[in-house]
């Protein structure tokens, strides 16, 4: 693990999750540096892998890294919420045996300060796809106070969101993430193990990349695809994402979808898509936390699809 640019989070747990898949296709929705992809390919020598990323820098790097696996690997560029629809329509649902989504900003993006994800960056960008129109600069310097209040409350869960939004309006324009975090530091929450500006940066980043919308679209595409036998693993890094995954998996596990007030079931009681494998999310071990501090907030939930009445030859 020392010869790669970063250690992928929960790497041992990801290997264990997909280790019994002997053939078929596994989809890595968030390829990044290719850490998870390479581990899955090594551990499952007979599977094929489709890797998705919207970041050209990640694609250029991982194309070389995964080159040795030859035709076993297909790399597709784009937002995973869009590309996944094409993949699920293109391939036989029976061939899809696993799907991994490591949600959020990658180490590749965090490590490149010019990308503007770090609170120490001299830029104010935060676009996962550098060709996208909306940047952090647009959000910070052009959004109205009401729009800023919305994202600070919804995506940053900041109690004093009104004061922070007002301070942004009063002090803009901002040219860098560093300037933004330093100027607003007195208004940021204290007493946590994270940098005071973390929740502020999180809120702006989620807005720029529509991260929660992307996650919801991904999960909806998986639901619509009705995959008969696939292991779905989602790694999230904050409570907003984890809440969406938890609620979605709970919905998928329900057989009856009648409203709570219904006297008797009239839906057919056959809507269950499978079962939840992880009653509680999997988190990094103490050993991994020593190796990789970025894994401290990672949570992985796993769902096994099993569609009643659908059989694969």
């Amino acid at each position: 693990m020392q010869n790669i640019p970063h250690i992928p989070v929960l790497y041992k747990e990801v290997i264990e999750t997909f280790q019994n898949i002997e053939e078929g296709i596994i989809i890595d929705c968030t390829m990044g540096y290719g850490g998870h992809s390479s581990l899955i390919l090594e551990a499952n020598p007979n599977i094929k892998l489709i890797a998705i990323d919207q970041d050209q820098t990640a694609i250029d790097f991982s194309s070389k890294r995964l080159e040795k696996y030859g035709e076993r690997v297909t790399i597709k560029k784009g937002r995973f919420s869009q590309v996944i629809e094409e993949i699920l329509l293109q391939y036989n649902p029976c061939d899809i045996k696993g799907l991994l989504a490591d949600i959020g900003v990658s180490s590749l993006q965090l490590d490149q300060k010019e990308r503007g994800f770090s609170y120490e960056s001299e830029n104010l960008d935060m676009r996962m796809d550098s060709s996208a129109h909306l940047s952090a600069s647009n959000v910070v310097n052009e959004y109205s106070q009401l729009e800023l209040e919305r994202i600070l409350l919804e995506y940053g869960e900041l109690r004093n969101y009104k004061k922070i939004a007002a301070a942004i309006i009063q002090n803009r324009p901002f040219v860098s993430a560093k300037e933004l975090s330093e100027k607003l530091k007195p208004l940021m929450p204290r007493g946590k193990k994270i940098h005071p500006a973390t929740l502020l940066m999180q809120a702006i980043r989620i807005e720029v990349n529509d991260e929660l919308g992307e996650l919801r679209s991904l999960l909806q595409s998986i639901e619509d695809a009705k995959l008969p036998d696939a292991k779905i693993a989602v790694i999230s890094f904050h409570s907003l994402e984890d809440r969406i995954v938890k609620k979605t998996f709970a919905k998928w596990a329900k057989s009856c979808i009648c409203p709570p007030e219904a006297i008797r079931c009239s839906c057919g009681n056959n809507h269950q898509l499978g079962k939840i494998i992880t009653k509680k999310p999997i988190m990094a071990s103490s050993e991994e936390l020593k190796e990789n501090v970025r894994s401290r907030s990672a949570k992985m939930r796993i769902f096994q699809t099993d569609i009643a009445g659908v059989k694969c030859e």
Side-chain angles (χ1 to χ4, degrees):
M1 301 299 295
Q2 300 304 316
N3 297 322
I4 66 175
H6 82 300
I7 302 172
V9 298
L10 302 175
Y11 62 94
K12 291 180 181 178
E13 291 79 2
V14 167
I15 293 172
E16 291 172 2
T17 297
F18 298 107
Q19 67 181 356
N20 293 322
I21 298 177
E22 296 181 357
E23 59 182 1
I25 298 168
I26 295 176
I27 303 171
D28 184 351
C29 295
T30 45
M31 175 180 64
Y33 274 129
H36 286 131
S37 290
S38 59
L39 290 170
I40 291 170
L41 287 160
E42 285 292 332
N44 306 75
N46 296 320
I47 63 99
K48 292 186 177 182
L49 183 130
I50 301 173
I52 305 169
D53 210 290
Q54 61 181 312
D55 190 320
Q56 190 59 49
T57 303
I59 291 173
D60 293 341
F61 180 91
S62 293
S63 294
K64 293 180 181 178
R65 181 176 185 183
L66 302 176
E67 188 176 22
K68 65 180 180 179
Y69 299 104
E71 294 182 356
R72 293 179 61 201
V73 179
T74 300
I75 296 175
K76 294 183 177 288
K77 182 181 181 181
R79 289 182 173 237
F80 55 71
S81 65
Q82 298 168 347
V83 178
I84 196 69
E85 281 191 49
E86 300 170 13
I87 293 171
L88 295 176
L89 287 171
Q90 181 180 356
Y91 292 88
N92 185 330
C94 289
D95 293 335
I96 309 297
K97 298 298 182 183
L99 184 146
L100 172 68
D102 181 354
I103 305 298
V105 63
S106 72
S107 292
L108 179 151
Q109 292 154 342
L110 284 171
D111 292 338
Q112 294 180 323
K113 289 187 179 179
E114 67 272 16
R115 299 294 295 273
F117 287 96
S118 168
Y119 48 78
E120 296 179 347
S121 175
E122 297 296 340
N123 292 335
L124 192 55
D125 193 327
M126 299 192 194
R127 291 174 295 174
M128 292 182 181
D129 178 356
S130 56
S131 66
H133 171 69
L134 186 68
S135 72
S137 181
N138 298 130
V139 172
V140 171
N141 294 315
E142 298 172 16
Y143 271 30
S144 69
Q145 184 161 336
L146 283 176
E147 289 176 311
L148 289 171
E149 288 177 3
R150 172 184 62 82
I151 68 169
L152 293 169
L153 175 61
E154 291 184 17
Y155 303 154
E157 299 183 299
L158 289 158
R159 293 182 180 180
N160 58 338
Y161 63 96
K162 288 183 180 289
K163 286 185 178 180
I164 297 170
I168 291 173
I169 298 290
Q170 291 164 9
N171 290 281
R172 66 191 191 185
F174 292 92
V175 297
S176 71
K178 185 176 182 179
E179 179 190 4
L180 178 69
S181 61
E182 285 297 319
K183 182 69 74 171
L184 299 178
K185 199 172 184 179
L187 296 175
M188 294 297 106
R190 300 283 175 173
K192 295 187 176 183
K193 294 181 180 179
I194 57 176
H195 187 278
T198 298
L199 296 178
L200 168 66
M201 302 293 279
Q202 172 184 296
I204 298 169
R205 193 196 75 226
I206 290 174
E207 175 70 11
V208 168
N209 299 288
D210 187 24
E211 292 177 30
L212 301 187
E214 284 283 291
L215 176 56
R216 290 189 182 99
S217 295
L218 171 67
L219 295 170
Q220 187 61 55
S221 294
I222 296 170
E223 181 178 332
D224 294 342
K226 298 290 191 294
L227 300 174
D229 179 25
K231 194 163 280 184
I232 314 299
V234 182
I235 301 173
S236 63
F237 289 85
H238 56 74
S239 59
L240 297 172
E241 294 169 339
D242 183 57
R243 206 174 299 147
I244 291 171
V245 177
K246 181 180 179 180
K247 287 183 178 179
T248 301
F249 283 5
K251 184 181 83 167
W252 289 356
K254 283 186 177 181
S255 186
C256 174
I257 57 172
C258 291
E261 63 272 14
I263 297 174
R264 61 176 62 87
C265 176
S266 59
C267 70
N269 200 27
N270 60 350
H271 295 274
Q272 186 177 20
L273 299 182
K275 63 180 180 179
I276 297 170
I277 303 299
T278 49
K279 298 300 180 184
K280 293 184 178 180
I282 297 171
M283 301 180 71
S285 64
S286 56
E287 178 186 354
E288 180 174 353
L289 289 171
K290 291 177 184 177
E291 292 180 327
N292 182 13
V293 68
R294 288 178 183 169
S295 67
R296 66 179 179 268
S297 55
K299 293 181 178 181
M300 180 165 69
R301 294 185 185 271
I302 306 168
F303 189 93
Q304 174 65 53
T305 66
D306 182 14
I307 311 297
V310 179
K311 293 185 178 181
C312 296
E313 297 297 331

